[in-house]
Amino acid sequence: MDIMNTYLGSVVQQKLSSITSTKDLLDEVERALQDLMDNYVLVDQELVANRHGMQLTPQVQRWHDKVQLHERQDIVNQLKVAYNNRGCLLGSCSLNLWANYKISQSSIKLYKEINNLKMEHDAFKEITETQPPRVVLEIATSVTLVGNTIKLNLEKVCGYLVDDNVSMVGIWGMGGVGKTTLLNEINNSLLGGDTNLGFNYVISLVVSKEPQFEKLQNEVSKRLGLPSYSGKNDIFEFLKKKNFLLLLDDIWKRVDLPEDLGIPLPLRQSQNSENGGQSYKRKVIFTTRDDEVCAHMNAHKKIKVECMDKEAWHLFKLFANEEIINSNENIKVLAMKVMEKCSGLPLALKVIGRATSNMKTPEEWRHMLRSLIKMDVRIVTGIEESLFHNLKVSYDNLASDTLRQCFLCCAQLCAGARIKVPDLIEHWIGCGLISDFGNMGEAFDEGYSLIAKLNEACLLEFYDINEYYVKLHDVIRGMALWIVSDCGKKKNKWIVCGSDDDLRQFSKWEAGNWEETELVSSKGTNFKKTVQKFLSDQNVDEKGQVSIAATSPRYPNLQSLFMNYYAIRDPSFEVVINFFPHMPSLTYLNLSNAPIASLPKEIQVLVNLQYLNISGTSIRSLPPEIEELKQLKYFFFRSPYFASEGELVRIKADGLSALSRLPELQVLDLYEHTCLEAGDLRILIYRNRIKGINMLVESVEILRLLKHLPTWKIHLKNIHDMPTLQLCDLSYKRDGEGLMELRISDCGFEDLLINGSGVSLKRLQLNGLAKLKQITWPVEAFRRGCFPKLTNVYIFKCTSLRSLSWVLHLPCLSTLLVQDCSAMKELIDPADQMQQASSGLPTFPNLRRLFLYRMPNLVSLSTCSLDFPVLFVLNLESCPKLKKLSFKPSIVNNKFEQVIVDQALWGSLEWEDTTIRSHLTKFHTAR
């Protein structure tokens, strides 16, 4: 190499020697510099630009850094300036000659450097190589982040990214709630500098409902800079010793990462030891609409993205025209109402906001609001395609037609209202969606399972922490009604209105529209007005004229009529109904709480009727014609009270014997009624078709007949000639225990023997059992497990009862209320046989609310300290002798919502640990 440099140097020297003038030498240097740029530097840059995914090799990149074109150009310019500014004679020495010499030497040096750079470049074998992928690729988004909710979720995710014990995170929530926005923000938050948290690669994929895994594998290969022919094995080998973060958007079922994508499984800190001590950082974050997917993916942490609250108005204005909104106070009021119809769903706020962006008058906004109330999406441009089609994917993905029909049934109930879970399940039973069951306990088990699946799919929400109420998001409900209407083609197929004001629309319909109606569901306070509007014996067109003869059925295809009205049951407000002949196809009829005192004999025309609910009405007698309902399977007639002189009076209805002669009857709910006669019960026992029966029981004879019937809810009252009540005597055993609710009032029982498994019992109320001394639970029964579903226990005026030790370990007990039990000194007696048998089990594992009222001799909850791991409501009133609360120190970890204790009692309580008092004081309210 030294010989070659010497040779090349001499060649250059010879060439320069042939240049006679300094000016020519400068020109030659400038040409060489231009050639270096044109034929070397620019060619390299064009080569990289034309080869996607390529970059200069490290040697060539170092050469480019060494070229320093701008600096060399500056030197040439300086030499040219020096040449032009040469001085004149100074004594006997010519400055021109000295300047020429210095300029020539500098030029020769620069020329040699340029030629050396050219020769060095010519020696390179490769100019470019494959460009390694960037750690994070920015995801372009047009979404503007609004409010603190997404920021808090982002902070939570960032916490999981640095937690070595969290490697799989599931982000779930309903469609359009902002899951993808959050995932994209996670990706973009890792851009630049040291913010990538040690990941070599951040890989983002959209999986979708019907994933094409081969295509996704190609995306991963391209993202990692692997050859296009790479398969999942190549991906796996490349990533198995890398730190990576995988972001999976919109997954609908479990993704087997190694099998489907070639991605190594994520690792937690405890799993890194399996890699020979080498620690790798592998994490996966995914989004889904279904909570069940989080379980199937073994997510270590979950984040549920909720709808917006206070932030909704700001997001809505970003997509609507804020200038127009602020220009008119009427428009602003209407805009806020339109925004409220979106119920905080970001997708709805954006879509509906855009749809209003050009509305300039209050009339346009008012029309939009009415359209949203009726969910008439055909006149709201863009909503159907952008909103409902997006949400419908969740509905389509449900596992069965039964589940889809159960979801649609939720929309039959009125908007904005919370729905009791038992009422919803009964509704599904009445609609025939839950039918294959032996007793009501089994039916409710299936119902709870269906509700859980709809909740996991984010199509139904729990309203409260006890999961006793559910609700349907307004936009999801609108989507359900849109599905029922054949995607908006038959808007009158289901008529569902939530207030008396909605009834105005019915009087404007054309007569022909009634024929397509299959369901009417109405809720309000003015039942009489409802009947006059659209259930009268005349059909009225939009001009108020009778358009069809009274003899023609107004609703020829109506199958379900649900009229849930809340009004004072007073004879002066009672309405006579006469509309049954106009709905011959009716199979489901719910008139609960309607102000009616009788059923007309015309009910006999409803030969297809399978469900009839007249609970809460003032009906005093069933007409004989009810025997003509040969298809009736479900009959509900509970809570028959009416107002009389300011008091609620229980009705004892006549004509119930006809029910025993209905050949298809399966569920009979007469809760709070005088029971059927013994002979009628024997008929039902003989027919052996009853799957559930509710009743008030006031005689030993009727009580003994219950052994042969699958009871569901029972109220025992005024039974005084039995000293012991055995739980196993309250329900038929062939299909297992079906008793779900037991109420015992004013009876003479001295002992309640829990000698059955009680698998279905959820609510127990004991009231006025003055002789009851003990509730016995044999050790054998305890060890088998009793009352696994019991959630609520209420004890009133059991003045001889000394202890409630049997409730201590109930796994699901959520609410315990004890009142006016004067013999009780300790709630839990450590000497109790059951307490000793259950030693070591967790105490009150699920108790959330504890109420103790008017307990004059109560000294303590127990002489032993007890755990209350989830207690958040404590109410103690009129317990003057109570000395201490038997809480373990762990109670300070509970976040209470309410602690109500008499002021005098609060001041006299003794505390073994003062930190407990300090913690409870934060939530204490004196009475």
Side-chain angles (χ1 to χ4, degrees):
M1 181 62 72
D2 292 338
I3 297 173
M4 180 61 70
N5 288 337
T6 301
Y7 170 74
L8 291 173
S10 64
V11 172
V12 171
Q13 187 68 42
Q14 291 173 6
K15 183 174 182 179
L16 292 177
S17 298
S18 65
I19 300 175
T20 57
S21 71
T22 302
K23 178 68 169 64
D24 293 339
L25 185 60
L26 278 173
D27 291 343
E28 186 65 27
V29 172
E30 192 167 19
R31 282 192 294 269
L33 185 60
Q34 187 64 44
D35 181 63
L36 179 66
M37 181 177 69
D38 292 344
N39 294 321
Y40 292 88
V41 176
L42 292 180
V43 168
D44 288 353
Q45 292 174 350
E46 290 177 5
L47 192 63
V48 171
N50 293 330
R51 294 182 181 180
H52 180 71
M54 304 295 285
Q55 66 180 13
L56 297 175
T57 65
Q59 296 90 341
V60 176
Q61 186 60 55
R62 285 194 293 271
W63 180 86
H64 272 264
D65 295 339
K66 190 166 57 174
V67 167
Q68 297 179 336
L69 282 172
H70 294 296
E71 293 183 13
R72 299 184 192 281
Q73 184 64 58
D74 288 342
I75 294 173
V76 172
N77 293 336
Q78 291 171 10
L79 290 173
K80 292 169 70 175
V81 170
Y83 178 78
N84 294 328
N85 294 335
R86 289 169 298 167
C88 299
L89 292 176
L90 180 62
S92 61
C93 183
S94 172
L95 291 179
N96 280 337
L97 292 175
W98 177 247
N100 285 344
Y101 175 76
K102 289 180 63 178
I103 293 169
S104 297
Q105 290 301 310
S106 296
S107 299
I108 292 169
K109 180 182 178 182
L110 182 58
Y111 189 88
K112 287 180 179 180
E113 291 176 359
I114 293 171
N115 273 278
N116 286 337
L117 288 170
K118 290 180 181 179
M119 289 183 287
E120 188 178 342
H121 189 278
D122 290 339
F124 293 139
K125 294 180 179 180
E126 296 289 341
I127 302 299
T128 62
E129 65 179 4
T130 303
Q131 182 183 29
R134 284 182 288 170
V135 174
V136 187
L137 295 180
E138 184 174 5
I139 298 176
T141 176
S142 60
V143 177
T144 303
L145 300 183
V146 173
N148 292 322
T149 302
I150 192 169
K151 295 177 183 177
L152 292 174
N153 284 333
L154 184 59
E155 290 175 4
K156 190 180 296 184
V157 172
C158 290
Y160 295 149
L161 289 179
V162 297
D163 187 342
D164 291 334
N165 289 313
V166 177
S167 61
M168 182 76 74
V169 179
I171 298 172
W172 70 289
M174 64 191 296
V177 80
K179 303 181 296 296
T180 299
T181 300
L182 177 58
L183 198 68
N184 292 344
E185 193 62 24
I186 293 167
N187 178 88
N188 293 345
S189 70
L190 299 175
L191 285 166
D194 299 326
T195 60
N196 55 36
L197 301 180
F199 295 112
N200 303 124
Y201 300 97
V202 178
I203 308 163
S204 181
L205 299 174
V206 179
V207 180
S208 76
K209 187 173 182 291
E210 301 294 338
Q212 300 179 34
F213 289 117
E214 187 173 343
K215 181 180 178 182
L216 292 172
Q217 289 172 24
N218 292 336
E219 290 185 31
V220 175
S221 298
K222 182 178 178 181
R223 176 70 184 88
L224 298 177
L226 298 177
S228 58
Y229 53 80
S230 300
K232 61 184 180 183
N233 292 334
D234 301 303
I235 296 172
F236 188 89
E237 287 299 318
F238 183 84
L239 284 176
K240 69 179 183 180
K241 293 186 178 181
K242 302 288 193 304
N243 301 323
F244 65 84
L245 170 63
L246 177 64
L247 305 177
L248 297 177
D249 191 24
D250 195 27
I251 70 173
W252 291 80
K253 58 184 178 181
R254 179 177 177 268
V255 177
D256 188 324
L257 297 175
E259 180 63 29
D260 296 333
L261 296 172
I263 304 288
L265 290 173
L267 294 176
R268 302 169 81 168
Q269 187 178 45
S270 58
Q271 296 170 310
N272 274 315
S273 59
E274 301 172 7
N275 292 278
Q278 178 66 50
S279 177
Y280 296 107
K281 189 173 184 178
R282 305 176 189 165
K283 293 180 181 284
V284 177
I285 302 176
F286 62 87
T287 69
T288 179
R289 298 189 187 188
D290 196 332
D291 185 28
E292 190 174 18
V293 174
C294 295
H296 292 167
M297 289 292 291
N298 296 318
H300 306 135
K301 294 292 182 180
K302 297 189 299 182
I303 297 175
K304 185 177 182 183
V305 182
E306 304 281 3
C307 289
M308 292 180 161
D309 186 12
K310 298 178 181 178
E311 303 157 346
W313 177 234
H314 181 45
L315 181 61
F316 180 80
K317 290 190 294 183
L318 287 178
F319 292 88
N321 191 322
E322 187 171 3
E323 184 178 350
I324 293 177
I325 291 175
N326 292 332
S327 68
N328 185 299
E329 190 61 31
N330 289 335
I331 289 179
K332 187 174 183 179
V333 171
L334 291 167
M336 294 191 74
K337 291 181 179 180
V338 168
M339 178 273 298
E340 289 169 359
K341 296 304 296 180
C342 301
S343 297
L345 182 64
L347 178 62
L349 292 164
K350 297 169 191 174
V351 171
I352 294 175
R354 287 193 186 103
T356 64
S357 60
N358 199 37
M359 294 183 180
K360 302 180 179 66
T361 66
E363 289 76 13
E364 292 174 284
W365 281 92
R366 201 171 289 114
H367 181 60
M368 165 64 84
L369 180 59
R370 282 196 297 266
S371 300
L372 291 174
I373 291 172
K374 296 187 293 183
M375 277 300 166
D376 190 356
V377 298
R378 291 178 296 176
I379 63 173
V380 185
T381 305
I383 291 183
E384 179 179 333
E385 186 66 32
S386 302
L387 185 58
F388 286 166
H389 276 292
N390 180 297
L391 298 175
K392 186 176 179 288
V393 182
S394 296
Y395 165 83
D396 293 334
N397 197 59
L398 292 173
S400 66
D401 286 336
T402 296
L403 200 54
R404 281 185 278 273
Q405 289 302 313
C406 285
F407 164 68
L408 296 179
C409 263
C410 296
Q412 296 175 3
L413 307 176
C414 297
R418 61 182 186 176
I419 308 166
K420 287 184 179 179
V421 167
D423 291 349
L424 179 58
I425 295 174
E426 289 174 14
H427 184 53
W428 287 342
I429 293 170
C431 293
L433 297 173
I434 300 175
S435 57
D436 186 15
F437 57 90
N439 58 56
M440 292 299 283
E442 294 178 7
F444 269 75
D445 283 347
E446 182 177 352
Y448 283 111
S449 176
L450 293 168
I451 288 173
K453 287 181 171 63
L454 291 175
N455 175 254
E456 290 166 358
C458 292
L459 292 174
L460 194 64
E461 304 171 75
F462 284 112
Y463 186 86
D464 63 331
I465 193 171
N466 287 326
E467 299 184 354
Y468 188 70
Y469 292 93
V470 291
K471 64 177 180 178
L472 203 61
H473 189 281
D474 284 351
V475 176
I476 295 295
R477 179 176 174 273
M479 182 265 292
L481 295 176
W482 173 75
I483 292 172
V484 168
S485 67
D486 295 343
C487 299
K489 297 175 183 176
K490 297 181 179 179
K491 69 175 184 178
N492 296 332
K493 189 174 181 179
W494 281 14
I495 301 169
V496 183
C497 54
S499 67
D500 296 325
D501 292 338
D502 292 343
L503 298 177
R504 283 179 250 174
Q505 62 179 302
F506 295 110
S507 63
K508 299 178 181 179
W509 290 352
E510 297 179 2
N513 288 336
W514 302 115
E515 295 183 0
E516 71 179 31
T517 304
E518 297 179 5
L519 177 141
V520 172
S521 177
S522 178
K523 177 182 179 180
T525 57
N526 197 330
F527 182 85
K528 184 174 182 179
K529 183 178 180 181
T530 302
V531 172
Q532 291 173 338
K533 280 287 185 184
F534 63 99
L535 293 176
S536 65
D537 58 357
Q538 293 182 333
N539 293 292
V540 182
D541 63 17
E542 59 183 357
K543 297 181 179 179
Q545 302 297 316
V546 176
S547 57
I548 298 180
T551 55
S552 301
R554 190 174 190 182
Y555 289 92
N557 296 307
L558 187 67
Q559 298 174 15
S560 298
L561 176 60
F562 193 117
M563 309 197 72
N564 194 0
Y565 277 72
Y566 294 93
I568 299 174
R569 283 172 285 279
D570 189 297
S572 63
F573 290 97
E574 289 173 355
V575 177
V576 176
I577 52 177
N578 56 359
F579 45 74
F580 293 146
H582 297 283
M583 44 192 71
S585 302
L586 205 63
T587 61
Y588 180 100
L589 176 59
N590 190 328
L591 297 173
S592 56
N593 299 301
I596 55 177
S598 64
L599 287 174
K601 64 180 182 180
E602 287 80 8
I603 196 171
Q604 64 185 332
V605 305
L606 304 181
V607 294
N608 298 306
L609 196 65
Q610 298 182 22
Y611 175 96
L612 175 59
N613 190 337
I614 53 173
S615 299
T617 65
S618 300
I619 294 175
R620 297 167 176 80
S621 178
L622 299 182
E625 288 78 10
I626 203 165
E627 289 188 43
E628 301 301 319
L629 306 181
K630 304 298 184 183
Q631 301 300 315
L632 194 67
K633 296 180 180 180
Y634 312 103
F635 182 77
F636 290 74
F637 190 15
R638 64 166 74 115
S639 302
Y641 291 95
F642 72 99
S644 177
E645 297 181 357
E647 296 184 1
L648 290 178
V649 179
R650 180 165 60 87
I651 303 169
K652 295 185 178 182
D654 298 323
L656 298 180
S657 292
L659 300 173
S660 65
R661 295 186 285 276
L662 296 176
E664 298 295 325
L665 192 65
Q666 296 180 14
V667 175
L668 177 60
D669 188 346
L670 300 175
Y671 198 61
E672 298 295 355
H673 268 292
T674 300
C675 180
L676 293 178
E677 298 293 334
D680 298 322
L681 287 177
R682 291 189 178 95
I683 293 175
L684 295 179
I685 294 170
Y686 175 76
R687 284 189 171 173
N688 199 27
R689 295 188 63 85
I690 293 293
K691 296 180 178 181
I693 188 167
N694 293 356
M695 66 185 75
L696 176 71
V697 179
E698 295 182 297
S699 74
V700 174
E701 181 184 14
I702 298 299
L703 180 58
R704 288 171 177 164
L705 287 172
L706 295 183
K707 292 182 180 181
H708 309 286
L709 287 167
T711 54
W712 168 17
K713 290 197 291 188
I714 293 296
H715 184 184
L716 307 181
K717 189 172 183 179
N718 294 323
I719 298 176
H720 293 282
D721 46 359
M722 281 183 67
T724 300
L725 175 66
Q726 300 188 47
L727 189 68
C728 65
D729 290 339
L730 299 180
S731 189
Y732 187 36
K733 303 300 181 301
R734 185 188 66 176
D735 296 311
E737 298 282 1
L739 184 63
M740 297 180 64
E741 184 171 327
L742 174 61
R743 182 178 177 186
I744 307 175
S745 303
D746 303 316
C747 293
F749 303 126
E750 298 177 10
D751 186 11
L752 175 58
L753 179 60
I754 304 174
N755 58 349
S757 64
V759 293
S760 297
L761 194 67
K762 294 181 71 69
R763 297 170 69 88
L764 174 65
Q765 179 175 328
L766 307 178
N767 186 12
L769 307 184
K771 296 182 180 181
L772 183 65
K773 297 179 181 179
Q774 59 183 351
I775 300 174
T776 306
W777 191 343
V779 174
E780 296 78 13
F782 173 82
R783 288 172 179 165
R784 290 195 304 268
C786 289
F787 297 149
K789 301 178 184 178
L790 187 59
T791 60
N792 296 70
V793 173
Y794 306 98
I795 312 291
F796 301 96
K797 298 181 181 179
C798 295
T799 52
S800 300
L801 190 62
R802 299 184 180 274
S803 170
L804 282 178
S805 298
W806 64 278
V807 305
L808 186 60
H809 305 290
L810 293 175
C812 292
L813 182 64
S814 176
T815 300
L816 175 62
L817 188 154
V818 188
Q819 177 178 317
D820 294 313
C821 294
S822 56
M824 198 173 294
K825 296 182 179 180
E826 291 178 346
L827 191 69
I828 305 298
D829 183 0
D832 189 281
Q833 181 185 15
M834 288 182 289
Q835 167 70 348
Q836 294 174 355
S838 62
S839 177
L841 293 177
T843 63
F844 295 117
N846 200 48
L847 189 69
R848 300 177 181 181
R849 298 175 178 86
L850 175 61
F851 303 91
L852 300 175
Y853 297 139
R854 295 197 294 274
M855 303 287 285
N857 295 303
L858 187 70
V859 176
S860 69
L861 303 183
S862 173
T863 55
C864 300
S865 296
L866 302 173
D867 272 323
F868 292 84
V870 294
L871 187 71
F872 63 78
V873 172
L874 175 65
N875 200 325
L876 306 176
E877 297 184 31
S878 301
C879 303
K881 294 184 179 181
L882 187 62
K883 298 298 182 183
K884 60 185 296 186
L885 300 176
S886 308
F887 293 150
K888 286 187 176 180
S890 57
I891 197 74
V892 298
N893 298 321
N894 294 27
K895 187 175 181 180
F896 282 85
E897 289 184 0
Q898 186 183 79
V899 176
I900 297 178
V901 182
D902 292 340
Q903 187 62 45
L905 175 59
W906 181 257
S908 65
L909 284 173
E910 301 172 2
W911 305 90
E912 293 182 2
D913 189 336
T914 56
T915 59
I916 297 178
R917 176 188 171 92
S918 299
H919 180 69
L920 295 181
T921 300
K922 302 174 187 176
F923 313 98
H924 175 241
T925 301
R927 284 280 177 90

